[in-house]
Amino acid sequence: MKIGDLVAFINESAPFQYQESYDNSGLITGNVNDEVNGVLCSLDCVEDVVEEAIEKDCNVILAHHPIVFGGLKSLTGSNYVERTVIKAIKNDIAIIAAHTNMDNVHTGVNKKIAEKIGLENLEILAPKNSILSKVVVFVPHDNVNDVREAMFRAGAGSIGEYDSCSYNLKGEGTFRAGEDADPHVGEIGTLHSEPETRVEVIVEKPRLGSVLTEMKKAHPYEEVAYDVYPLANEHQEVGSGMVGYLTQPVEAMSFLKSLKEKLQTELIRHTDIVSEKIEKVAICGGAGSFLLTDAIKKKADIFITGDYKYHQFFDADGKIIIADVGHFESEQFTAELFVELLRQNFSTFAIHLSKVNTNPISYL
Ligand SMILES: [Zn+2]
């Protein structure tokens, strides 16, 4: 197993194209052609984590937060970012970051938090609406199955729990082949009508390239007639935050107390208890204040996240309880999520959970 294969696997699980524009998820240091000896999973990648990787004989660190975020202009070791990168490179350690791409998939960071809190019937809080396309292709009847299957294999037509979804309409295409053409049907210079099926499939952005490549390979025509329409539809399984239900309503204060235990946090900063009972819960690992209006719109009783500032707490405005559990605390289980994801799929290299507490904040 090469490091490049591991990066490709992570891209399959949480496509890097789903990361936010400000992010830097992906392979940060390391050579795609090196073999994977062992993977150390952590929330942050700092010098102590690189040290731990060396001790555990792991040449890959899979971290949630990218150690290089805003770019590097020099590598002199003058700060912790540069020192971490230098140490990783000197020791042939690859650093992979799966950050907002892992936040934005329905099997990612927030799913793990929901699992810890015990939420059911989960939905994405703010689904994204710019990642679906419709591909329409016109295929002679005899080749429809082959072309459709090729597109399905490349990931087209998968919607929620369904795969192989397509719409097919029979019609007629016309064309006239030029002097230098090599037409599959019809004659050069003569207007030809061919019975064709219009095949429509939905494709997610990260799969569009391979769907089009496979579609063209399976299509018999020299010049394939096809359209790609960007869709404004939301993708229900990709986006920020999550909302779900407790198995039964719980008295607000006892919910907050149990939350403290479940999320292993020393401190919860919260606004007024405006609902007696908590049943519908919105969550966002890390800094989630940008999702407050979505949480209110979804009628959540409480919004659990991190990194809230003083003035932002006023925005609860009697409509919801904001509970800031801490950035690290809300996302600490992401490393566990990485371990589970890798162990479910690989058995040829060691997979370790980091023991380093990378939280830079202490409570007095
Ligand atoms: Zn974070």
Side-chain angles (χ1 to χ4, degrees), residues 64-65 99 286 327 331:
H64 183 50
H65 296 133
H99 186 211
H327 190 128
E331 291 188 320

Side-chain angles (χ1 to χ4, degrees), residues 327-346:
H327 190 128
F328 172 89
E329 288 78 1
S330 69
E331 291 188 320
Q332 61 186 314
F333 309 108
T334 309
E336 199 178 303
L337 172 79
F338 289 151
V339 168
E340 285 166 8
L341 181 68
L342 296 181
R343 285 199 180 141
Q344 277 158 15
N345 290 279
F346 305 105

Side-chain angles (χ1 to χ4, degrees), residues 1-2 6 36-39 342-343 345-351:
M1 174 100 179
K2 297 262 163 64
L6 182 61
V36 177
N37 299 336
V39 182
L342 296 181
R343 285 199 180 141
N345 290 279
F346 305 105
S347 56
T348 51
F349 49 83
I351 298 153

Side-chain angles (χ1 to χ4, degrees), residues 226-238:
Y226 69 96
D227 307 315
V228 178
Y229 301 96
L231 297 181
N233 303 46
E234 288 178 342
H235 192 314
Q236 297 304 328
E237 292 178 348
V238 180

Side-chain angles (χ1 to χ4, degrees), residues 149-347:
E149 283 301 321
M151 290 198 288
F152 291 157
R153 274 197 304 274
S158 286
I159 302 170
E161 293 302 308
Y162 294 83
D163 62 26
S164 308
C165 303
S166 71
Y167 186 76
N168 303 272
L169 190 67
K170 287 187 173 165
E172 195 174 83
T174 67
F175 52 83
R176 179 163 41 214
E179 278 300 302
D180 299 324
D182 180 18
H184 174 68
V185 285
E187 280 165 31
I188 290 187
T190 311
L191 183 67
H192 180 82
S193 299
E194 181 70 20
E196 289 174 349
T197 304
R198 173 192 167 103
V199 182
E200 299 185 14
V201 287
I202 297 277
V203 184
E204 294 165 329
K205 211 191 226 174
R207 307 189 195 282
L208 185 59
S210 49
V211 166
L212 295 180
T213 305
E214 294 309 311
M215 176 271 280
K216 286 177 194 167
K217 265 196 232 163
H219 202 292
Y221 286 0
E222 198 176 10
E223 297 287 349
V224 178
Y226 69 96
D227 307 315
V228 178
Y229 301 96
L231 297 181
N233 303 46
E234 288 178 342
H235 192 314
Q236 297 304 328
E237 292 178 348
V238 180
S240 313
M242 256 184 171
V243 62
Y245 294 85
L246 295 171
T247 45
Q248 57 187 45
V250 177
E251 192 271 317
M253 204 34 94
S254 54
F255 173 76
L256 283 172
K257 281 178 186 156
S258 74
L259 186 67
K260 212 174 153 181
E261 244 171 73
K262 286 173 179 163
L263 295 187
Q264 296 165 26
T265 177
E266 289 184 50
L267 184 78
I268 297 179
R269 299 186 304 149
H270 65 87
T271 54
D272 281 349
I273 305 295
V274 289
S275 11
E276 238 173 80
K277 301 231 162 166
I278 304 291
E279 187 175 18
K280 195 167 189 183
V281 179
I283 52 174
C284 179
S289 60
F290 69 102
L291 288 173
L292 182 69
T293 43
D294 296 281
I296 294 171
K297 230 185 276 167
K298 291 265 182 189
K299 298 196 165 32
D301 301 307
I302 189 165
F303 179 41
I304 301 166
T305 184
D307 277 356
Y308 248 84
K309 292 182 186 165
Y310 176 76
H311 288 286
Q312 293 173 325
F313 280 102
F314 286 98
D315 298 333
D317 208 13
K319 297 179 185 123
I320 196 167
I321 304 167
I322 295 170
D324 183 333
V325 297
H327 190 128
F328 172 89
E329 288 78 1
S330 69
E331 291 188 320
Q332 61 186 314
F333 309 108
T334 309
E336 199 178 303
L337 172 79
F338 289 151
V339 168
E340 285 166 8
L341 181 68
L342 296 181
R343 285 199 180 141
Q344 277 158 15
N345 290 279
F346 305 105
S347 56

Side-chain angles (χ1 to χ4, degrees), residues 13 52 57 65 73 78 89-90 122 125 145 148 196 206 212 226 252 261 265 273 280 282 359 364:
S13 317
E52 187 186 15
D57 204 19
H65 296 133
K73 288 209 168 177
S78 65
I89 293 171
K90 277 189 174 170
L122 298 170
L125 188 53
N145 261 340
R148 216 169 24 211
E196 289 174 349
L212 295 180
Y226 69 96
E261 244 171 73
T265 177
I273 305 295
K280 195 167 189 183
N359 192 356
L364 186 67

